[in-house]
């Protein structure tokens, strides 16, 4: 990335003008793209489809781009384009992800790798691509979208929980390592959100077999997940609002759990005896 003149650094470091957003075509990503655009930021909404969020087609400060977070060359090319067109990149919001359900025993290594490839390694690759420029210009903000599942181990979504926990710890490590260069990070932990993620969730192949010893439990667990997400889930705008608030703060919080209920839940999970926590979670999904 081009190194900005020092005279411009202090002026620009206090405000976010240009944002790269992954998974920006639907769900939480689309809601985030919309609210950031409405706030005056220029958003490069990256996704595999390259589609703009509904209702934001043709908006001058919404730039849809085709980018697969599994493709390091594609990420680098998009960042170079942003710098060429805008002069700098101020922030990145890592939102792209996927989900797979199934018991640990019956989820194949290939299925686990698919979960981690986009949800965790996609975040790693995006952050690694942004950090050199952030260091050179002396400022940069990284917001990652994790999940309450990062602290609440979900039965039949174990590898999703693992990937989201990895994002949480990764974000905090980057805060320490890149903080001396003016880089701030914040990890957002949403609870249940009503989006298309529910329908897109895959189920481990072996767990779909009625003869599987886990089949009945898996089916019941997934039904609970779907009910919580689609009937009781918060609108994605709640998460988007949390992202905007952090990007507008002079100092971002290391971790944010949107909604009072989920923030209390995370607090309790971290403080109650883990034997009790596991029993309660199991009862919820069994």
């Amino acid at each position: 990335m081009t190194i900005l003149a020092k005279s411009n650094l202090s002026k620009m470091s206090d405000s976010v003008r240009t944002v790269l957003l992954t998974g920006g075509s639907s769900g939480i990503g689309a809601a985030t793209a919309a609210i950031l655009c409405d706030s005056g930021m220029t958003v490069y909404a990256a996704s595999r489809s390259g589609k703009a969020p509904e209702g934001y087609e043709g908006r001058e400060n919404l730039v849809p781009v085709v980018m697969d977070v599994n493709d390091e060359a594609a990420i680098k090319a998009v960042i170079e384009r942003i710098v060429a067109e805008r002069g700098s990149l101020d922030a990145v919001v890592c939102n792209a992800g996927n989900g797979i359900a199934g018991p640990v025993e019956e989820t194949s290594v290939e299925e686990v790798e698919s979960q981690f490839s986009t949800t965790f390694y996609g975040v790693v690759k995006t952050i690694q691509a942004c950090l050199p420029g952030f260091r050179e210009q002396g400022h940069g903000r990284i917001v990652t979208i994790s999940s309450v599942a990062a602290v609440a181990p979900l039965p039949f979504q174990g590898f999703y929980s693992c990937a989201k926990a990895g994002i949480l710890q990764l974000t905090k490590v980057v805060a320490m390592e890149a903080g001396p260069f003016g880089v701030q990070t914040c990890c957002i932990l949403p609870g249940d959100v009503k989006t298309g993620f529910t329908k897109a969730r895959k189920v481990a192949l072996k767990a779909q077999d009625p003869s599987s010893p886990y089949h009945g439990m898996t089916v019941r667990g997934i039904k609970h997940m779907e009910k919580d997400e689609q009937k009781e889930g918060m609108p994605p705008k709640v998460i988007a609002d949390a992202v905007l608030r952090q990007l507008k703060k002079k100092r971002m919080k290391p971790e944010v759990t949107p909604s009072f209920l989920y923030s209390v839940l995370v607090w309790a999970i971290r403080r109650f005896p883990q034997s009790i926590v596991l029993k309660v979670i199991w009862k919820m999904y069994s």
Side-chain angles (χ1 to χ4, degrees), residues 89-91 130-142 183:
L89 173 63
D90 302 312
C130 291
L131 278 175
F134 287 168
R135 280 193 299 101
E136 289 183 24
Q137 66 191 18
H139 69 91
R141 297 186 175 218
I142 298 169
V183 178

Side-chain angles (χ1 to χ4, degrees), residues 29-139:
T32 302
I35 199 167
L36 296 187
C37 280
D38 290 345
S39 75
M41 299 177 189
T42 296
V43 179
Y44 284 74
S47 64
R48 290 179 179 178
S49 68
K51 294 181 180 179
E54 185 177 353
Y56 283 76
E57 302 87 347
R59 281 283 294 268
E60 185 177 345
N61 63 333
L62 189 289
V63 185
V65 292
V66 176
M67 191 186 88
D68 184 343
V69 294
N70 293 301
D71 187 340
E72 294 177 62
I75 299 170
K76 181 180 179 181
V78 168
I79 293 173
E80 290 177 347
R81 172 186 170 182
I82 293 172
V83 174
E85 294 178 353
R86 299 288 302 172
S88 72
L89 173 63
D90 302 312
V92 60
V93 179
C94 298
N95 168 70
N98 59 359
I100 187 165
V104 169
E105 181 181 340
E106 296 190 334
T107 304
S108 69
V109 172
E110 290 75 19
E111 289 169 327
V112 175
E113 289 174 342
S114 175
Q115 172 72 93
F116 271 78
S117 179
T118 297
T119 304
F120 181 71
Y121 290 117
V123 174
V124 172
K125 292 174 182 177
T126 304
I127 290 176
Q128 287 180 334
C130 291
L131 278 175
F134 287 168
R135 280 193 299 101
E136 289 183 24
Q137 66 191 18
H139 69 91

Side-chain angles (χ1 to χ4, degrees), residues 195-214:
T195 68
F197 183 86
T198 303
K199 187 176 181 180
R201 181 189 288 114
K202 295 182 180 180
V203 179
L205 188 60
K206 287 185 179 180
Q208 297 179 40
D209 187 343
S211 67
S212 161
Y214 297 96

Side-chain angles (χ1 to χ4, degrees), residues 211-229:
S211 67
S212 161
Y214 297 96
H215 181 71
M217 291 186 291
T218 302
V219 170
R220 290 192 296 273
I222 292 174
K223 284 184 178 179
H224 281 296
M225 297 172 202
E226 292 177 344
K227 177 185 175 183
D228 290 344
E229 292 164 352

Side-chain angles (χ1 to χ4, degrees), residues 123-248:
V123 174
V124 172
K125 292 174 182 177
T126 304
I127 290 176
Q128 287 180 334
C130 291
L131 278 175
F134 287 168
R135 280 193 299 101
E136 289 183 24
Q137 66 191 18
H139 69 91
R141 297 186 175 218
I142 298 169
V143 177
T144 58
I145 308 299
S146 178
S147 170
V148 168
V151 295
L154 300 181
F156 312 113
Q157 273 202 119
F159 294 108
Y160 177 78
S161 290
C162 289
K164 290 299 187 178
I167 292 172
L168 175 60
Q169 299 305 326
L170 173 71
T171 307
K172 292 181 177 180
V173 169
V174 173
M176 293 185 286
E177 295 179 348
F181 303 100
V183 178
Q184 296 185 45
T185 74
C186 174
C187 188
I188 308 290
L189 277 62
D192 291 315
V193 183
K194 186 176 181 179
T195 68
F197 183 86
T198 303
K199 187 176 181 180
R201 181 189 288 114
K202 295 182 180 180
V203 179
L205 188 60
K206 287 185 179 180
Q208 297 179 40
D209 187 343
S211 67
S212 161
Y214 297 96
H215 181 71
M217 291 186 291
T218 302
V219 170
R220 290 192 296 273
I222 292 174
K223 284 184 178 179
H224 281 296
M225 297 172 202
E226 292 177 344
K227 177 185 175 183
D228 290 344
E229 292 164 352
Q230 293 302 304
K231 292 186 178 181
E232 301 174 16
M234 66 184 81
K237 185 179 180 298
V238 174
I239 313 305
D241 284 335
V243 174
L244 176 62
R245 284 195 298 271
Q246 292 306 308
L247 290 179
K248 294 182 76 173

